[in-house]
Amino acid sequence: MISREQRTPFSEWWWTVDRLLLAAIVVLMLGGVILSLAASPPVATRIGLDSFHFFNRHVMFLLPSFIVLIGVSFLSPRQIRRSALVVFAVSVALIMATLLFGPEVKGSRRWITILGINIQASESAKPAFVVLAAWLFSESARRPEMPATSMAVGILLLLVTLLVMEPDFGQTMLILMSWGALFFIAGMRIVWVLGLAGVAAAGLFAAYLFVPHVAGRIKRFMNPASGDTYQVDTAMEAFSNGGWLGLGPGEGIAKRSLPDSHTDFVFAVGAEEFGIVLCLGILALYAFIVLRTLSRAYASEDLFARFAAAGLAILFGVQAAINMAVNLQLLPAKGMTLPFISYGGSSMVSLAYGVGMMLALTRHRPQIEVESASRASATPGYA
C-alpha cells in the first residue's frame, strides 16, 4: 500500500490522480489489444506478412504510449503549456516537411519517414493545439488587453491550412469542432460560434465542389449506388452477423475481406465477433472518460486547466464518435482511428500524450498550488 504520509513524487501522484479515469483508460487499452488480435491477422496474411505482424506492432506501440501517458500525467499545468508549445512547433515543422518530401498516397501527403519510422505529424499536433488554444482563451479572460483570441484564431488558421494542403479533411473537421467547442466554453458570443460554423460549412461545400476525393465520399454516402461502398457495406453486415453476443472470438467473417479491418473498421470486427454488447461497453468507456474529465474540469478553479481538460476530452470523444459513426454508416468514411483500439503508432502515442495531459489537469491540487499557477499565468510572459 502507498501511504499518504510518504512525500514522494509517485505517492503524491497516486493520491491526486483520478484513479477511476486512469482505470477506464487502461481497460480501453487492453480492449484494443484483444480487438487487434482479432482483427489484424487476416490483413497481414493478405499482404504477405506474418500473421501477427500488426498485432506485435500494436503491442510494441502500446508500451511507449503507456509510458508517455503516465509520464505526462506527472506534469504541472505550466509544464503542460510548455510541452504543448514545443510539440506543436515540432509537429508544424514536420507537417511542412511532409508536404515537401512525404510520399503521395491516394492523392494525399500525410506521412513522413524518419529513421525508418513512419510519422503522421498531424496526430501529435491535435492535442498540443487544443492546449495552446485553451491557454490563449484563458489568458483572454484574465487579461482582455492581450490579443489572445486573435492569436488563437491565428494558430487555428495555420494548422487548418496545413491540413487542407495535405489534404486531410477528416482531421481538419475534428480540429475545427474542438476549437469551436473551446471557443464556446470560453464564453464567446454565440453569434461568433454560429458564424464560425457557417464558415466551416462553406469550407466543406467548397471541398465538395473542388476536391474530387471529398466529393466522391460524400456522393457515395448520400447515394451508395453512385460508387464503391464495399467497406461500409461489409461493416454493416458484420454488425448484423454479430447480433447481441457475437459469433465468438476468431469466428468473424468480415475481417477476411475488409482491407482496413485493423484500423478504420476494427469496431465492426469487434461487433461481429463479440456482439453489440461489447460495442455498448466500448461506447460506455468512451462516455465515462469524456464525462468524468468534463466534470473534473468544471470543478477546477484554474481557467487554463478547466479549458484545456475540457478541450482534450472533447477532442478524444469526437474522434471516437466519428469512427463509430463511420462504421455504422452515419457519416462518410473519413479515415479516423478509434482511440487506443485501432492500429496506428502515431495515433496511439499522440492519444497517450493527450490523455496524459487530461489526467494531469484533472488531478486534485491544493488551493495554494492553484493560486500560484494562476498568478504565474497572469504575469507577463508566455510560460
Side-chain angles (χ1 to χ4, degrees), residues 276-333:
I276 296 175
V277 171
L278 173 77
C279 296
L280 293 175
I282 292 175
L283 179 62
L285 273 176
Y286 285 122
F288 175 80
I289 291 170
V290 172
L291 295 176
R292 180 82 175 181
T293 304
L294 289 176
S295 66
R296 295 289 288 260
Y298 180 77
S300 175
E301 296 184 12
D302 180 9
L303 270 184
F304 164 70
R306 183 186 305 170
F307 291 165
L312 289 168
I314 291 168
L315 179 74
F316 183 82
V318 170
Q319 179 169 336
I322 289 174
N323 179 279
M324 290 185 284
V326 168
N327 276 249
L328 292 166
Q329 284 189 320
L330 299 176
L331 286 175

Side-chain angles (χ1 to χ4, degrees), residues 6-18:
Q6 294 177 348
R7 303 296 295 177
T8 66
F10 181 77
S11 66
E12 290 183 5
W13 172 84
W14 178 253
W15 291 112
T16 57
V17 75
D18 188 340

Side-chain angles (χ1 to χ4, degrees), residues 3 33 80 150 181 214 287 291 300 344 367:
S3 172
V33 172
I80 286 173
S150 300
V214 175
L291 295 176
S300 175
Q367 181 64 27

Side-chain angles (χ1 to χ4, degrees), residues 192-207:
W192 286 104
V193 176
L194 295 175
L196 289 169
V199 171
L204 180 61
F205 183 67

